[in-house]
Amino acid sequence: MVALAILRVEKLKSFGNIGGSEKHTARLQQTPNADPTKQNIRLIGDGDERSLEDVVKELIQSKTKYQPRKDAVLCSEIFLSASPEYFRPDSPSKAGVWDQDRMQDFTNTAKTWLEENYGDKCVRAELHLDEATPHIHAYVVPINEKTKRLSYKEMFGGSQAQGRLKLSKLQDSYAQALAPLGIQRGVKGSQATHTKVKEYYQAVNSEPLTLELNRLAPLRGETAQQLFERIQEDPSIQAINHQLADRKFTLQKSLRANQNAVTAEQSRIKLEQTVAQLLEENSSLRQQIQQLRDLPLEDVAWQLGLNPDWKNFNHWKGRNHIINIHESKFYDFHPSQQKGGGGSIDLVMHVNECNFTTALAWLNQQYGSSRLERASVHWAKQQAKEIAMTGTKAEFTAPIEDEAQWQVLQNYLTEKRQLPVNLVQALHERGLVYADERQNAVFVMRSLLGEVNGAFLRGTKGEDNTFMGYEKGTSRSDGWFWFRMGGKKPTDEVERVVLCKSPIEAISVAVMEPSTATRTMYLAADSPQSLPRKFLGNIPTVELAYGNSEADDETTRIIQEVLSHAHRRKPQLADWNEELKQRQLLQQQQASQGIEY
């Protein structure tokens, strides 16, 4: 069964009540249900030999400014414990025993909770170990720090409704402190009641079965079997059997109901925590939004010495200005002005006829640094928006083609890279690959609609030229080197896309594939960020023909996270161009030996 937190609060309205309570908790009088061989421990107030009454009186005199009312609660006694399942999980019903480590953990946690919640108002706390289950009696003087008065109402609630609410929150706090120990809060709003000690001892000391046992004592000459049958057939025993069976069934139902209630309570607490977190996030978001808003221009106008024109709505006059304000915009209709602007900084610069720095200094003086920051953020946003609207977008300019360098470039592609002459020439005639003045291979990048918006450059001059890069102004997010092959006719819809890391890899893969009736697009995309995801999501077959390196493996993994239907094609060698070159070499060797490939 789940271990539950136990907390109760009692009012002590007189010093007589306080003294009587101390006699019990400090064991100043005989306690019938206490084990005299076990020692209790004073957790708070240890070393202070004064009576509890004197301690409470001294605190009230030193911490309050007014005489307590006649009906005031002078002290509150808080009872703290947990159900037996926590202290002795293997035998909850075995009174007077407990796991020492569990008891110590409970004691430390409960003491810390008292100190954090009540500080020096908690004048004493006694740990009782001489009864059935360890528990703590703590005494708290309910002083209101603001009013310097005794106020049980402020600390624990006044009316019945307030009392229930504050006690519920107190139990929430206590249970939350004990939660790391595996102790949970009881069901919120439960109607469970606590058996009074007197009633308990009356029940324990009664003997309802004594008369029945005497009546069923063995008769002279009666065998054990006869006695067993007589007891079994006795109506009283049968009634007790039925009652015990019914009680067992009721207890099982009660246990299941309690477990369901505890689960519901856990869900409620979790929901409350989620709501609190959302409220906190909402408050933070509101603060962030407020930070992004500019200062109210009406307030800034007033600070600048202008006054509202009650005849003309939104007009502010003064200092040779007639300014109309609408949200974050303003316009000065005065004959000598006839101009407008936007935002508090612009308004200050306009009215005070000052520069940007002086306007910031004025706002800082009038509003402080935090509100100046709001104005500055808004001004920067407005400036960025205007630049974005008026600025011209730099259009891509393709590298100038140098036809004189084409033959050298074609030799590089067909001899060093072993790409077929007819395919290279076809791509060149379509304007998809050409040479620039530096003998770079220019692979033209286009949108899916065929608009040229970039170029990928591959250095070819020299033996070990490894230069690769994008021409200035290239749009990598909506432009790619691609071409289509296969299908019954050129107008067929693309049903298959093969992704590669470079144009040369895309051409190499296309060369090694047999002719197919499926219209296929070969597209170079060297990064998962540059994929045309929406387009690829509608293609039935997507193949990831990247190389054999760890970087290629990682690229493939990331792409498959966003395109779950894409599958990997991996070359046996480092990349597909290396594989193509080995295949061409093998063909040449077989041809020289007269073997038909």
Side-chain angles (χ1 to χ4, degrees):
M1 191 171 176
V2 178
L4 302 177
I6 299 172
L7 180 149
R8 296 197 289 274
V9 180
E10 297 290 340
K11 300 177 183 178
L12 301 177
K13 288 192 168 186
S14 69
F15 289 111
N17 293 151
I18 294 172
S21 178
E22 182 187 24
K23 287 180 181 179
H24 169 72
T25 59
R27 297 298 189 248
L28 302 179
Q29 64 183 19
Q30 187 176 3
T31 306
N33 58 324
D35 184 350
T37 65
K38 293 181 179 177
Q39 185 68 37
N40 296 331
I41 300 172
R42 180 166 292 178
L43 301 176
I44 295 175
D46 187 28
D48 190 341
E49 299 300 328
R50 294 178 297 167
S51 69
L52 179 60
E53 179 181 343
D54 289 341
V55 173
V56 173
K57 281 182 178 178
E58 193 278 330
L59 187 66
I60 292 174
Q61 290 172 358
S62 63
K63 294 285 187 178
T64 64
K65 293 182 178 180
Y66 306 95
Q67 190 73 14
R69 298 189 311 272
K70 290 184 179 181
D71 62 343
V73 177
L74 303 176
C75 188
S76 302
E77 180 183 350
I78 303 179
F79 178 90
L80 302 175
S81 188
S83 57
E85 288 79 9
Y86 169 73
F87 293 103
R88 40 182 181 271
D90 296 330
S91 52
S93 61
K94 193 173 182 179
V97 297
W98 55 81
D99 181 283
Q100 185 65 25
D101 291 338
R102 284 173 171 257
M103 185 275 289
Q104 195 63 52
D105 288 341
F106 163 78
T107 302
N108 294 337
T109 304
K111 180 183 177 183
T112 300
W113 181 79
L114 285 169
E115 292 171 337
E116 289 179 350
N117 281 273
Y118 302 108
D120 61 357
K121 297 188 192 73
C122 182
V123 295
R124 185 168 294 176
E126 305 275 3
L127 172 64
H128 282 189
L129 299 174
D130 59 355
E131 297 181 65
T133 302
H135 58 272
I136 295 171
H137 293 272
Y139 294 94
V140 176
V141 182
I143 297 174
N144 187 327
E145 295 288 354
K146 293 181 179 179
T147 63
K148 301 299 180 183
R149 291 179 181 271
L150 286 175
S151 179
Y152 180 91
K153 177 181 178 180
E154 179 67 27
M155 186 172 287
F156 298 106
S159 65
Q160 188 174 7
Q162 282 183 332
R164 281 199 301 266
L165 180 61
K166 290 211 170 187
L167 180 60
S168 179
K169 289 183 177 180
L170 193 64
Q171 289 169 334
D172 284 344
S173 170
Y174 176 59
Q176 187 175 2
L178 297 181
L181 306 183
I183 301 173
Q184 300 179 6
R185 192 198 191 289
V187 180
K188 205 164 189 177
S190 170
Q191 298 301 312
T193 57
H194 303 287
T195 304
K196 293 182 179 179
V197 175
K198 184 177 179 181
E199 294 175 353
Y200 172 76
Y201 283 112
Q202 287 177 349
V204 169
N205 293 329
S206 65
E207 299 179 351
L209 290 178
T210 301
L211 294 176
E212 292 299 322
L213 293 175
N214 290 336
R215 184 174 62 80
L216 295 172
L219 302 176
R220 184 183 297 275
E222 188 176 35
T223 65
Q225 180 63 33
Q226 291 171 333
L227 174 62
F228 174 76
E229 292 174 354
R230 181 162 63 88
I231 292 174
Q232 196 175 37
E233 294 173 358
D234 188 271
S236 298
I237 297 299
Q238 289 179 352
I240 291 172
N241 258 341
H242 292 149
Q243 290 170 3
L244 289 174
D246 183 64
R247 176 165 176 76
K248 181 180 179 181
F249 175 72
T250 303
L251 286 173
Q252 288 175 341
K253 284 181 63 179
S254 176
L255 177 61
R256 286 196 298 270
N258 186 62
Q259 289 173 339
N260 291 338
V262 168
T263 301
E265 178 64 14
Q266 290 173 339
S267 299
R268 182 197 64 79
I269 292 173
K270 188 174 181 181
L271 180 60
E272 284 185 355
Q273 291 172 343
T274 302
V275 170
Q277 182 180 354
L278 289 173
L279 288 174
E280 184 178 347
E281 290 175 357
N282 185 50
S283 175
S284 175
L285 183 59
R286 285 176 179 271
Q287 291 176 1
Q288 292 176 24
I289 292 173
Q290 184 67 18
Q291 192 66 23
L292 293 176
R293 289 176 177 158
D294 194 11
L295 302 178
L297 295 193
E298 292 83 359
D299 185 51
V300 176
W302 185 83
Q303 294 285 359
L304 287 166
L306 306 182
N307 293 304
D309 182 353
W310 303 114
K311 295 181 179 179
N312 293 306
F313 184 66
N314 288 341
H315 279 207
W316 291 74
K317 289 184 174 183
R319 299 175 57 182
N320 293 323
H321 297 286
I322 305 173
I323 297 177
N324 175 266
I325 295 176
H326 179 68
E327 296 179 350
S328 63
K329 301 287 185 181
F330 69 88
Y331 189 85
D332 195 337
F333 288 99
H334 193 278
S336 65
Q337 302 293 337
Q338 298 291 315
K339 61 182 177 181
S344 57
I345 295 177
D346 276 1
L347 182 58
V348 174
M349 292 169 62
H350 174 70
V351 175
N352 285 349
E353 298 181 353
C354 63
N355 60 23
F356 178 78
T357 304
T358 305
L360 292 183
W362 185 89
L363 285 168
N364 184 57
Q365 182 180 4
Q366 298 296 324
Y367 294 98
S369 59
S370 61
R371 300 187 75 185
L372 168 63
E373 184 178 339
R374 281 176 53 185
S376 301
V377 169
H378 183 269
W379 184 86
K381 284 178 61 183
Q382 291 298 113
Q383 294 297 310
K385 187 183 294 184
E386 289 180 13
I387 292 172
M389 292 177 64
T390 59
T392 56
K393 181 181 177 182
E395 294 186 3
F396 169 72
T397 302
I400 298 174
E401 182 177 2
D402 188 347
E403 192 64 35
Q405 301 289 348
W406 171 244
Q407 190 58 51
V408 180
L409 175 58
Q410 182 173 330
N411 292 341
Y412 167 83
L413 295 174
T414 58
E415 295 176 7
K416 187 169 184 176
R417 293 294 188 164
Q418 292 291 301
L419 302 177
V421 176
N422 57 345
L423 181 54
V424 171
Q425 190 60 37
L427 293 172
H428 176 58
E429 291 174 357
R430 291 174 57 189
L432 298 182
V433 60
Y434 61 88
D436 66 9
E437 61 181 1
R438 297 185 179 181
Q439 201 180 307
N440 292 317
V442 179
F443 294 96
V444 176
M445 297 171 63
R446 300 171 294 159
S447 70
L448 296 176
L449 297 176
E451 300 168 345
V452 175
N453 54 17
F456 178 79
L457 309 182
R458 177 67 170 90
T460 67
K461 198 171 186 178
E463 287 295 322
D464 300 312
N465 193 326
T466 59
F467 166 74
M468 288 185 289
Y470 293 90
E471 180 66 13
K472 182 180 178 181
T474 293
S475 177
R476 296 179 66 183
S477 60
D478 56 4
W480 306 269
F481 173 81
W482 57 267
F483 58 94
R484 291 175 292 210
M485 296 179 66
K488 296 179 180 178
K489 53 184 182 296
T491 56
D492 287 351
E493 289 289 330
V494 172
E495 297 181 18
R496 174 173 171 259
V497 173
V498 180
L499 298 177
C500 304
K501 68 179 178 181
S502 72
I504 289 179
E505 284 287 277
I507 299 170
S508 299
V509 171
V511 169
M512 289 190 290
E513 290 194 330
S515 299
T516 174
T518 302
R519 190 66 169 164
T520 300
M521 173 186 283
Y522 300 89
L523 185 146
D526 61 358
S527 168
Q529 293 177 287
S530 62
L531 294 177
R533 295 185 185 180
K534 187 175 181 181
F535 167 72
L536 294 173
N538 295 321
I539 300 298
T541 304
V542 177
E543 298 178 10
L544 309 179
Y546 288 87
N548 234 333
S549 68
E550 292 183 2
D552 293 324
D553 291 340
E554 180 65 10
T555 297
T556 301
R557 183 191 66 78
I558 296 173
I559 293 175
Q560 287 179 319
E561 287 181 357
V562 296
L563 297 172
S564 57
H565 68 298
H567 66 274
R568 177 78 188 270
R569 283 180 59 188
K570 205 169 185 178
Q572 295 180 352
L573 301 180
D575 57 39
W576 292 102
N577 188 246
E578 289 297 318
E579 196 132 318
L580 173 64
K581 289 190 287 185
Q582 186 185 58
R583 177 175 172 178
Q584 300 284 44
L585 179 61
L586 182 60
Q587 285 180 343
Q588 292 171 7
Q589 291 174 348
Q590 290 174 338
S592 65
Q593 296 173 6
I595 301 174
E596 184 177 351
Y597 181 77

